[in-house]
Amino acid sequence: MPPAHPFDFDAVDGDTLHEECGVFGMIGVTDAANFVALGLHALQHRGQEAGGIVSYHPEHGFNSARRFGYVRDNFTKQSLMETLPGALAIGHVRYSTAGSKGAQIRDVQPFFGEFSMGGAAIAHNGNITNAEALRRELIERGSIFQSSSDSECIIHLMARSLQRDIPARMEDALRRVEGAFSVVAMTRTKLIGVRDALGVRPLVLGKVGDGWCLSSETCALDIIGAEYVREIEPGEMVVITEKGVESTHPFRSRNSRFCIFEHVYFSRPDSIIGGRSVYETRRQIGVELAREAPIEADLVCPVPDSGTPAAIGYAHESGIPYGMGIIRNQYMGRTFIEPTEQIRNMGVRLKLNVNRALIRGKRVVLVDDSVVRGTTSRKIKEMILDAGAAEVHFRIASPPTAWPCFYGVDTPQREKLLAATMSEDEMCEHLGVDSLKFISLDGLYRAAGESEGRNNSCPQYCDACFSGEYPVEPADMIEKGFKLKAAE
Ligand code: SF4
């Protein structure tokens, strides 16, 4: 019997964007799997459904463990960690976008393949936009898939490559792949990291003692005491052995298109992206928002937690006092209980509560990271008004999310996105708030360090979920009838 599916309190009303995955790899330390478990724990915000670790030991070979639920509930058990010996290990935490929804242990990464030159395991963050076409082709040519994940295509493409070593096979395989990929892989002696040509998803290199690590974010380097070395560049492949790091650029591109939403929401605020503190960028978003959309009010409140730095920036720039008008229950993550209808109906109250004493009688500016379907925003507004607020003004730290993401973030279908069907004024009326303003795309770019704003002829980031300009055409989705902006 499959295990009970975890009930995601964070997505209780399907109104939250989810990063699909986090990856971490380690080489050159005793019991590398322990380091990987810690790294994955720090990356848990990137995926809470399941996690997995593969390790290699010269006497014990490759070993793997894949589990549902939090890293802390699985990969802290000595009995499990003892089954993952060796100085080389990689791991993965997942939510799930590509592949089947729901609990399937076969979809949990890393994936492992045995090749003529030895085994290899891979962990992928991102989304392959031509995965369905590749899968059809591979199945026709005899590949037997074990999972429904798009990432498994990489292993099968590697198996079919005629190259003589695994890094070269990986390079071969990834040349066929379109979309976003930050991949961490391992052989018996090598830790490999690769980023797609546009560098949509993050990947960084760290060093601890004689060991090296690769991670989705720098916050996972901090937890193991590793020193941040640098980002893996867009289109770069690094192969790390006892001798050090070898770098090549097999997927070179003219410009990078890093996901700008990593700055707004996905990455942890204590991570560094492109040399910039995520916290500082978010605070600066609040500053820009206050300049673009000022309002007379008595109190600035974040919708916790991701709205917090932007609210601090908004309050600072506007001079309006800052306060914690909404308190988040920090323990309301995922849990393995089956929710009753009654629990489900409690919706957002399960994780957020209003600080009535602070809110009563005030004109409140609520700063949130995004509006997806709008259901959560409506409920929060009701809670604030019930608590006696005189006015509610929403300020949103991202532009209207009007397009789905096909590069590793779980977004609803386009027609379910509030901004896809309504203007800003219509959204304001629909949410029933006194005012609603989003940061402009230029304002967001400025906050992210682009002082001139967005370069419209050659955008510096991927911002497709706001602009509808997809840096890589989502081939599978177009085949299924998705219409690009130009075709509307
Ligand atoms: S579409 Fe949006 S969420 Fe997806 S990669 Fe681009 S900016 Fe990030």
Side-chain angles (χ1 to χ4, degrees):
M1 206 172 104
H5 191 271
F7 176 45
D8 185 356
F9 281 102
D10 278 342
V12 73
D13 50 10
D15 196 21
T16 321
L17 298 180
H18 287 269
E19 177 75 45
E20 188 181 356
C21 304
V23 293
F24 195 90
M26 187 86 220
I27 187 169
V29 292
T30 308
D31 294 329
N34 286 338
F35 287 80
V36 171
L38 284 168
L40 294 181
H41 174 63
L43 298 174
Q44 191 80 80
H45 58 289
R46 299 183 75 86
Q48 293 96 50
E49 187 185 69
I53 297 178
V54 171
S55 73
Y56 178 78
H57 185 281
E59 283 168 29
H60 303 282
F62 286 96
N63 284 283
S64 82
R66 300 187 284 177
R67 297 288 186 276
F68 294 112
Y70 285 132
V71 174
R72 66 163 186 244
D73 295 332
N74 293 304
F75 295 98
T76 46
K77 294 180 184 138
Q78 198 183 354
S79 55
L80 179 65
M81 297 314 289
E82 280 174 358
T83 68
L84 298 166
L88 182 45
I90 63 168
H92 187 267
V93 284
R94 88 190 282 261
Y95 174 64
S96 67
T97 56
S100 63
K101 289 280 177 194
Q104 299 276 347
I105 199 75
R106 65 199 179 106
D107 288 334
V108 179
Q109 298 186 38
F111 292 129
F112 176 78
E114 196 71 68
F115 305 103
S116 53
M117 65 284 285
I122 63 159
H124 168 217
N125 175 205
N127 198 15
I128 300 173
T129 51
N130 63 337
E132 290 187 23
L134 286 173
R135 178 182 276 260
R136 271 198 309 271
E137 177 196 317
L138 286 159
I139 288 174
E140 271 166 25
R141 292 165 66 194
S143 295
I144 300 169
F145 276 76
Q146 304 288 319
S147 76
S148 58
S149 165
D150 61 331
S151 314
E152 195 186 338
C153 288
I154 301 170
I155 283 277
H156 292 284
L157 289 167
M158 284 168 69
R160 295 198 165 269
S161 166
L162 300 175
Q163 296 295 330
R164 278 200 298 226
D165 66 36
I166 286 177
R169 283 189 176 215
M170 220 172 125
E171 191 182 315
D172 234 13
L174 292 172
R175 282 190 199 287
R176 298 282 324 274
V177 161
E178 294 168 11
F181 56 82
S182 279
V183 175
V184 167
M186 62 183 278
T187 68
R188 286 175 296 200
T189 54
K190 298 179 176 87
L191 176 65
I192 304 166
V194 197
R195 255 176 113 190
D196 64 79
L198 298 175
V200 176
R201 303 256 76 91
L203 191 64
V204 299
L205 176 69
K207 182 144 181 45
V208 57
D210 293 334
W212 294 90
C213 53
L214 292 165
S215 171
S216 292
E217 289 182 42
T218 62
C219 64
L221 305 184
D222 299 335
I223 196 174
I224 62 162
E227 167 202 341
Y228 167 69
V229 177
R230 64 177 178 88
E231 289 185 2
I232 304 303
E233 291 167 15
E236 182 182 9
M237 174 184 265
V238 291
V239 178
I240 310 170
T241 61
E242 283 176 344
K243 292 181 197 146
V245 181
E246 256 180 47
S247 161
T248 54
H249 288 81
F251 313 109
R252 207 180 278 278
S253 150
R254 267 182 303 153
N255 65 323
S256 72
R257 300 291 295 273
F258 183 70
C259 166
I260 202 162
F261 227 140
E262 292 275 355
H263 284 292
V264 177
Y265 177 70
F266 300 126
S267 291
R268 254 175 52 167
D270 50 338
S271 283
I272 306 286
I273 295 175
R276 282 179 73 81
S277 146
V278 173
Y279 174 86
E280 187 45 37
T281 298
R282 285 183 194 163
R283 205 191 66 84
Q284 197 55 37
I285 290 173
V287 170
E288 291 284 344
L289 200 44
R291 288 175 188 157
E292 288 184 356
I295 188 80
E296 275 192 26
D298 308 307
L299 184 69
V300 176
C301 292
V303 176
D305 290 323
S306 48
T308 303
I312 291 170
Y314 192 100
H316 184 264
E317 181 67 14
S318 64
I320 303 169
Y322 170 89
M324 296 291 286
I326 301 174
I327 307 299
R328 181 184 168 96
N329 182 336
Q330 299 295 344
Y331 303 97
M332 201 55 88
R334 285 192 154 197
T335 180
F336 280 84
I337 64 164
E338 285 296 324
T340 62
E341 199 51 35
Q342 198 184 12
I343 288 177
R344 219 181 260 285
N345 286 339
M346 290 178 190
V348 75
R349 287 175 201 273
L350 285 166
K351 58 174 182 174
L352 301 177
N353 194 24
V354 175
N355 182 356
R356 289 171 175 267
L358 185 65
I359 294 286
R360 195 170 302 127
K362 305 236 170 76
R363 297 169 296 172
V364 178
V365 180
L366 279 179
V367 181
D368 204 352
D369 54 73
S370 56
V371 173
V372 183
R373 295 172 194 247
T375 46
T376 305
S377 309
R378 268 176 84 129
K379 285 175 193 161
I380 290 171
K381 179 259 330 192
E382 280 161 19
M383 285 164 62
I384 295 281
L385 286 178
D386 285 352
E391 292 174 15
V392 180
H393 303 273
F394 261 116
R395 293 293 177 272
I396 309 299
S398 57
T401 308
W403 296 85
C405 174
F406 301 116
Y407 309 133
V409 170
D410 191 38
T411 30
Q413 288 171 328
R414 182 147 198 250
E415 51 277 18
K416 301 273 172 56
L417 295 168
L418 202 61
T421 53
M422 291 183 192
S423 68
E424 198 169 291
D425 287 348
E426 287 166 337
M427 282 191 271
C428 182
E429 202 178 320
H430 174 81
L431 297 178
V433 289
D434 294 287
S435 73
L436 166 72
K437 295 286 174 201
F438 296 81
I439 193 169
S440 68
L441 209 42
D442 273 330
L444 177 57
Y445 271 70
R446 280 195 299 272
E450 300 293 338
S451 55
E452 303 295 313
R454 185 180 195 258
N455 178 348
N456 290 330
S457 58
C458 184
Q460 307 92 318
Y461 285 98
C462 173
D463 55 25
C465 48
F466 309 126
S467 65
E469 293 172 26
Y470 290 90
V472 180
E473 284 204 354
D476 286 342
M477 296 312 295
I478 290 171
E479 199 181 304
K480 286 179 181 169
F482 176 77
K483 290 214 168 24
L484 291 171
K485 197 172 175 180
E488 279 198 332

